[in-house]
Every structure is written in C-alpha cells, then in structure tokens.
Amino acid sequence: MTPALEVRDLTLAYDRTPIFDKLDLRIDEGGITTLIGANGSGKSTLLKAFGRLLVPTSGTVLLEGSPLRGLSARSVAKRLAILPQKPITPSATTVRELVSRGRHPHQSLFRPWTPGDSAIVDAALAATGITDLAERDAGALSGGQLQRAWIALVLAQEAPIILLDEPTTFLDLSHQLDVLRLVRSINRERGATVVMVLHDLSLAGRYSDRLVVVGGGRVIADGTPWEVLTPEILRDAFDLEATVIPDPASGTPLIVPAVDIVL
C-alpha cells in the first residue's frame, strides 16, 4: 500500500547546519503518528518538510506516492492540511470567515462558492463545538477557542492528511485534552491520517497510535507507545530518568520522572 507520506534519503538543514541526514521514514494512512524528541531534535523541522514549508537540501518527500516538489500548491492543499505552531490570526475576521478559508483550495474561476461549501463550514464549526462563536471576532477568542477555530479550518479543508505542529501549546491541561480528543475524533470518525508534534510524552502516548522519536539527525525509536516510551529510550533520547506505568484512566504509558527528595 502506498504510504500517505514518505521521505527518502532526506537531508534537512537550517543555515547549513544539518538537522537530518539521509533520513528514511514512511507514514501509513489512517493512523495518528506523533513526532517526539528533545528540544532542538528537529520534530517541527521534519513536519515542515512533510508540509512543503521547508525545502530539503537533498532527498525526496512523497505525498501519496507523488514527489511533493512537483505538485501544484492547490493539489497539495486538497490532499494535505497543516496547522503551524503559531498561526497568525487575521485581523477583523470572524470565526466563520476564518474557517471558510479552508475551502479556498476548492475554489476557482469555474468553481465559485456554493451552498455545499457553506454546509461544510457549518459542519466544521459544529464538530469543533464553536457554532455559537461563528460571528465573533477571531482575534477576541480565548486560546482554547482559537485553537478550535483553526482546527475547524483544517476540517473545512477536507484534506485526508493533517499535520499539526504542537496543537496544545499555550493551552491549560483541560484545553489540551479537549484538543487532543478532537484530533482523535477526526482520525477515528473521518479516517484522516494525522501527524503531529507534541512535547508532553504521556499525552503523546495516550492519543497516538505510533510514536517516532527523533534526535541527532536520525530516528531513535519508532513503534507503539508502549514500545517507545521505555526507561531506556527516555534516558537515551531525553536524558530523563523515569519510571513508566500504566495510566489508571487509559491504560496507556504514564511517565513518572525520578525526583530527588530533599529533606
């Protein structure tokens, strides 16, 4: 089966400083894959390469088997949606107008806005629980509300592959859980392939089917949460001494860092 995304022999660099060297990685369709790693390990860099926001030094990025570099922007946007870590909210824009931008890849001179587009936007607002905020100024929303609005835009885009760069950043724990439950719902109910970057390892283990640990220009570990979140890998990838136990609420790996007790 053709993977949703794939990198072959990929080299990425910032200002000639290599981040990845000759990396091979494939993302199969239908699951939630989360990229984790220490600060500066290249998680967001790799996600940007998947989303064509960063041009590789060498190697190939494939979208559903086709070289990403050779596809038109419109073609990519119909198949892949990306939510960056800090999206810029346009001024004087209502939530509905913001979410409607997700339909832009489907518009053209010969295919103007239709009632069907309005229905898709309405459905995206409803799915993210922000219908009652539709006419509010997007810039006046709280952090959790605004993040839901951006995810609604991604839903309205109707791309089968979704990239999320730290979608829970700056949110309190309650809103982090809301967003990740929503991501899982999008995956389970719509069949979307999701690739995201997360910092919280326990939340990554709870809401992901697959974890990919990156660092030192390579993939350190790749597998299910229980295969990846082990004391040995945590020590190697994060310089973290920790115990891993089953989360009482979910049965997924719960990271318990070792703490020195000072009396």
Side-chain angles (χ1 to χ4, degrees), residues 199-207 229 247 250 252-256:
H199 273 298
D200 188 305
L201 300 180
S202 293
L203 289 181
R206 178 182 284 199
Y207 290 99
L229 296 178
D247 187 321
S250 63
T252 55
L254 179 65
I255 314 301
V256 183

Side-chain angles (χ1 to χ4, degrees), residues 83 89 93-100 120-156 175 178-179 182 186 190:
L83 179 58
T89 304
T93 300
T94 68
V95 172
R96 183 181 297 279
E97 288 168 343
L98 178 66
V99 175
S100 295
I120 290 169
V121 170
D122 288 341
L125 291 166
T128 51
I130 57 172
T131 299
D132 59 334
L133 303 176
E135 305 311 321
R136 289 268 302 275
D137 185 338
L141 300 182
S142 69
Q145 291 170 334
L146 183 58
Q147 195 70 338
R148 282 178 169 271
W150 280 108
I151 293 175
L153 184 156
V154 167
L155 281 178
H175 285 110
D178 284 345
V179 166
L182 176 58
I186 293 168
R190 297 178 177 233

Side-chain angles (χ1 to χ4, degrees), residues 125-201:
L125 291 166
T128 51
I130 57 172
T131 299
D132 59 334
L133 303 176
E135 305 311 321
R136 289 268 302 275
D137 185 338
L141 300 182
S142 69
Q145 291 170 334
L146 183 58
Q147 195 70 338
R148 282 178 169 271
W150 280 108
I151 293 175
L153 184 156
V154 167
L155 281 178
Q157 195 170 329
E158 289 195 316
I161 303 170
I162 298 173
L163 308 181
L164 304 171
D165 192 356
E166 299 187 32
T168 59
T169 299
F170 306 127
L171 301 181
D172 59 36
L173 181 56
S174 175
H175 285 110
Q176 289 181 45
L177 293 172
D178 284 345
V179 166
L180 291 174
R181 289 188 193 109
L182 176 58
V183 170
R184 185 165 61 185
S185 174
I186 293 168
N187 166 256
R188 300 297 192 254
E189 296 177 11
R190 297 178 177 233
T193 301
V194 178
V195 184
M196 60 182 174
V197 171
L198 289 179
H199 273 298
D200 188 305
L201 300 180

Side-chain angles (χ1 to χ4, degrees), residues 15 21 54-55 88 99 106 113 117 121 145 156 175 178 189 199 203-205 216 222 240 243 257:
D15 297 327
D21 185 34
L54 181 65
V55 178
I88 299 174
V99 175
H106 304 275
W113 189 271
D117 293 308
V121 170
Q145 291 170 334
H175 285 110
D178 284 345
E189 296 177 11
H199 273 298
L203 289 181
D222 183 352
L240 174 66
T243 300

Side-chain angles (χ1 to χ4, degrees), residues 218-233:
R218 63 188 179 91
V219 172
I220 296 174
D222 183 352
T224 67
W226 277 111
E227 290 171 336
V228 168
L229 296 178
T230 66
E232 296 75 19
I233 292 174

